[in-house]
Amino acid sequence: GRRLNVVLNESIAPDAVAHPVALGRLLLAISTEPAPLSLATSYDELAAVATNPTLKTDLTRALRDAQHQLISAPAPTIDFGGLLDNGFTNEVTSQLALTSSLAPQVTGRYLSGPLWLSGAPTAADLNALAGAGSSNLIVPETSLAYPPSATLAWGAPFHLRSEEHTSEL
């Protein structure tokens, strides 16, 4: 049979840097976790971590294990669909590039893996992200019409249909 690969996903919440002791404990726990793990962060959190030498060291240590990856979690307030609809296609790419360019400076690691969307994406958002080259996304289960955990199709790809584009996630 096929092996089921499970990767733990954790994110640095927008207000986490305001609580450096708690964030440091989380990063310490991640650094000792032997299982594959994805840590999601945004440009804002990375920029804040960069100003705190202890947190910067803790984050670098948490990502030392090759099975731990750093993934991008753009701010949920970014309206990717609106940017695309109003002709700001380059801004969609620029928003995604912010975290990508800062990650190696702060952690010594490049972003990899899927894009973490903490808000409920619209079809327009997904079209904009697909146009910018993002094809692998993590979305909240609550944003789906039929939560996979309540079906027998847990973990299966699904199709989102819109007038302009069909995306497989």
Side-chain angles (χ1 to χ4, degrees):
R2 291 179 56 193
R3 226 175 108 200
L4 178 63
N5 292 319
V6 176
V7 177
L8 300 172
N9 294 296
E10 183 60 60
S11 69
I12 298 177
D15 63 345
V17 181
H19 306 283
V21 173
L23 179 56
R25 285 184 190 138
L26 170 67
L27 294 172
L28 176 62
I30 289 171
S31 71
T32 61
E33 176 58 50
L37 187 136
S38 294
L39 181 62
T41 189
S42 75
Y43 176 84
D44 293 332
E45 284 92 37
L46 270 180
V49 165
T51 65
N52 183 319
T54 302
L55 286 178
K56 185 176 175 182
T57 299
D58 291 345
L59 179 58
T60 301
R61 187 177 301 122
L63 296 170
R64 190 173 295 147
D65 189 319
Q67 292 193 89
H68 296 176
Q69 65 181 347
L70 187 64
I71 63 176
S72 182
T77 55
I78 300 172
D79 181 4
F80 290 110
L83 291 170
L84 180 67
D85 290 345
N86 290 293
F88 295 104
T89 307
N90 290 340
E91 189 61 27
V92 173
T93 305
S94 295
Q95 287 294 322
L96 296 176
L98 287 173
T99 308
S100 293
S101 64
L102 185 58
Q105 295 171 29
V106 176
T107 68
R109 296 276 302 266
Y110 290 96
L111 293 178
S112 60
L115 188 66
W116 174 298
L117 300 178
S118 59
T122 64
D125 291 333
L126 295 177
N127 285 331
L129 292 168
S134 294
S135 60
N136 195 1
L137 307 172
I138 296 173
V139 297
E141 182 180 61
T142 56
S143 67
L144 303 175
Y146 301 102
S149 65
T151 70
L152 295 177
W154 183 84
F158 68 92
H159 293 275
L160 175 76
R161 301 200 186 284
S162 71
E163 304 83 46
E164 302 134 20
H165 187 71
T166 300
S167 298
E168 181 177 289
L169 302 177

